[in-house]
């Protein structure tokens, strides 16, 4: 007996100004009825339905990319207290927000690296991957640990124009560090840190204030007195910038207060920014407990990239 043919009907899309035909009955069996997870069943169903499920090819590409990079996120069932979802056309794909899939090894590696930094070392940790592959979430899995240890977390995103604005991204992050020092310390501890900065920099404090204007937040009265310098208009060399930031980090970074800098989209960072980071990581005169984490899109990094 030949199976009953499914009738086709013609529909007209007013927005697109096009007509298309569709089958009144589904020509396939949902994977969920065969025992597959409902989330995976919905993805395949949406891909088959095509025009009914996706407004354009962009979300199609996004779903396929997600399935290819993090297949585990489709291997759980949707818990719906309202009843079974089989055959429901209103079923929605639910990816568990805030959960990191397929990067357990990297979570362990970055955690171990930070533990070494907390014991008095400086390290760099690089994370490669396509956009949306979980690089930022991997770093966020560590930030709570850094905060709990009394450390400072600096987050900065490099922009495509960063190479035309040397050092701006990195200096902006360390400028915000001044506010973190103010907010995360008791008045007594803050006074101690400020006093040491003033003592160690002395007449060079104006140079530090030029690089980090928010340093005045630590002690506005004392900072104002020392930032009046007629030489402020002079151009600072990269060597001078590196030396000044090294001196600053020797004071504020320690095993009790490690500093973590996360620079996202590292592929757009300029060579001077990378040189400054290298100088902080390799300072042998006392700077320690500095953890640099850089994420980059490996498909946008060529062999000659700095």
């Amino acid at each position: 007996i030949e199976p009953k043919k499914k009738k086709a009907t013609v529909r007209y899309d007013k927005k697109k100004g096009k007509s298309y035909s569709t089958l009144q009955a589904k020509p396939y069996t949902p994977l969920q009825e065969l025992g597959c997870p409902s989330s995976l069943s919905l993805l395949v169903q949406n891909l088959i339905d095509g025009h009914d499920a996706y407004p354009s090819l962009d979300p199609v590409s996004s779903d396929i990319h997600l399935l290819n990079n993090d297949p585990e996120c489709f291997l759980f069932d949707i818990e719906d207290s309202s009843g079974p979802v089989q055959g429901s056309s209103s079923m929605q794909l639910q990816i568990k927000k805030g959960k990191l899939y397929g990067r357990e090894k990297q979570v362990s590696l970055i955690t171990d690296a930070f533990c070494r930094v907390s014991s008095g070392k400086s390290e760099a940790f690089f994370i490669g991957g396509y956009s949306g592959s979980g690089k930022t979430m991997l770093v966020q899995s560590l930030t709570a640990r850094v905060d709990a240890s009394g450390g400072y977390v600096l987050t900065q995103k490099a922009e495509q124009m960063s190479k035309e604005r040397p050092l701006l991204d990195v200096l902006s992050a360390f400028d915000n560090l001044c506010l973190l020092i103010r907010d995360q310390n008791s008045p007594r501890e803050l006074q101690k840190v400020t006093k040491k900065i003033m003592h160690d920099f002395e007449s060079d404090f104006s140079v530090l204030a030029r690089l980090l204007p928010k340093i005045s937040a630590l002690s506005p009265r004392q900072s104002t007195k020392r930032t009046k310098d007629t030489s402020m208009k002079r151009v600072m060399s990269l060597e001078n910038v590196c030396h000044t930031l090294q001196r600053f980090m020797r004071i504020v970074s320690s095993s009790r207060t490690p500093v973590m800098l996360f620079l996202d989209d590292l592929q757009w960072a300029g060579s001077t920014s990378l040189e400054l980071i290298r100088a902080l990581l390799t300072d042998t005169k006392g700077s320690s407990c500095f953890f640099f984490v850089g994420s980059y899109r490996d498909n946008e990094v060529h062999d000659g990239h700095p």
Side-chain angles (χ1 to χ4, degrees):
I1 301 176
E2 294 184 0
K4 184 178 180 181
K5 294 183 179 180
K6 298 177 177 61
K7 297 180 180 180
T9 185
V10 177
R11 294 181 181 177
Y12 181 74
D13 191 325
K14 293 182 179 180
K15 293 183 179 181
K16 298 181 179 180
K18 296 181 180 180
S19 298
Y20 57 88
S21 62
T22 182
L23 295 177
Q24 292 180 333
K26 295 180 180 179
Y28 57 84
T29 300
L31 291 179
Q32 188 179 1
E33 296 181 10
L34 301 178
C36 294
S38 56
S39 49
L40 180 60
S41 174
L42 178 62
L43 174 65
V44 175
Q45 179 180 322
N46 285 344
L47 292 175
I48 293 176
D49 286 346
H51 56 261
D52 289 330
Y54 294 102
S56 67
L57 289 177
D58 289 337
V60 176
S61 176
S62 177
D63 277 1
I64 295 177
H65 181 74
L66 180 62
L67 178 60
N68 180 63
N69 285 279
D70 291 302
E72 291 183 6
C73 68
F74 294 95
L75 302 182
F76 61 87
D77 265 308
I78 300 175
E79 297 180 1
D80 189 351
S81 58
S82 61
V85 296
Q86 289 189 355
S88 174
S89 59
S90 62
M91 183 176 66
Q92 296 181 349
L93 182 63
Q94 297 182 6
I95 303 300
K96 294 180 179 178
K97 294 182 178 180
K99 183 174 178 60
L100 192 62
Y101 297 95
R103 287 186 178 268
E104 290 78 8
K105 183 177 180 180
Q106 287 182 304
V107 170
S108 176
L109 290 174
I110 195 173
T111 302
D112 290 344
F114 176 70
C115 290
R116 292 191 295 271
V117 170
S118 298
S119 65
K121 296 182 179 181
S122 292
E123 287 194 25
F125 192 92
F126 298 96
I127 308 169
Y130 289 91
S131 176
S133 60
K135 302 186 298 296
T136 300
M137 191 174 294
L138 171 62
V139 178
Q140 290 174 345
S141 69
L142 180 67
T143 55
R145 182 183 292 270
V146 179
D147 289 334
S149 69
Y152 306 111
V153 179
L154 311 177
T155 302
Q156 189 67 31
K157 186 179 181 68
E159 305 292 343
Q160 286 183 297
M161 299 294 292
S162 295
K163 294 181 180 180
E164 300 178 11
R165 300 176 297 179
L167 299 177
L168 183 60
D169 296 326
V170 177
L171 290 179
S172 177
F174 282 102
D175 198 23
N176 290 329
L177 173 59
C178 298
L179 301 182
L180 291 179
I181 295 173
R182 180 196 64 184
D183 297 339
Q184 294 183 203
N185 285 280
S186 66
R188 183 177 179 180
E189 292 172 334
L190 182 59
Q191 184 179 14
K192 184 178 180 181
V193 172
T194 303
K195 185 177 180 180
K196 185 167 181 56
I197 292 175
M198 295 294 183
H199 177 270
D200 290 4
F201 276 89
E202 297 183 336
S203 60
D204 291 335
F205 183 81
S206 59
V207 179
L208 176 64
R210 181 183 178 185
L211 294 178
L212 310 177
K214 294 177 183 177
I215 192 71
S216 61
L218 302 184
S219 181
R221 292 184 179 180
Q222 297 184 47
S223 299
T224 303
K225 296 178 181 179
R226 303 222 180 171
T227 52
K228 296 179 180 180
D229 190 342
T230 57
S231 64
M232 290 297 287
K233 294 184 179 180
R234 293 185 302 178
V235 177
M236 294 180 64
S237 66
L238 177 60
E239 182 179 1
N240 194 8
V241 172
C242 292
H243 178 63
T244 303
L245 262 294
Q246 284 176 334
R247 293 173 64 187
F248 177 67
M249 286 292 286
R250 291 168 194 167
I251 299 172
V252 302
S253 180
S254 66
S255 58
R256 292 181 60 253
T257 57
V259 175
M260 171 181 164
L261 170 60
F262 170 44
L263 186 58
D264 195 12
D265 283 334
L266 188 61
Q267 73 277 359
W268 288 330
S271 58
T272 51
S273 295
L274 299 178
E275 180 60 27
L276 174 56
I277 293 171
R278 187 199 66 80
L280 295 175
L281 289 168
T282 58
D283 182 20
T284 58
K285 295 184 179 181
S287 179
S288 62
C289 302
F290 173 51
F291 189 30
F292 172 71
V293 179
S295 69
Y296 62 94
R297 302 178 186 179
D298 48 14
N299 60 312
E300 297 184 20
V301 177
H302 52 78
D303 294 337
H305 195 280

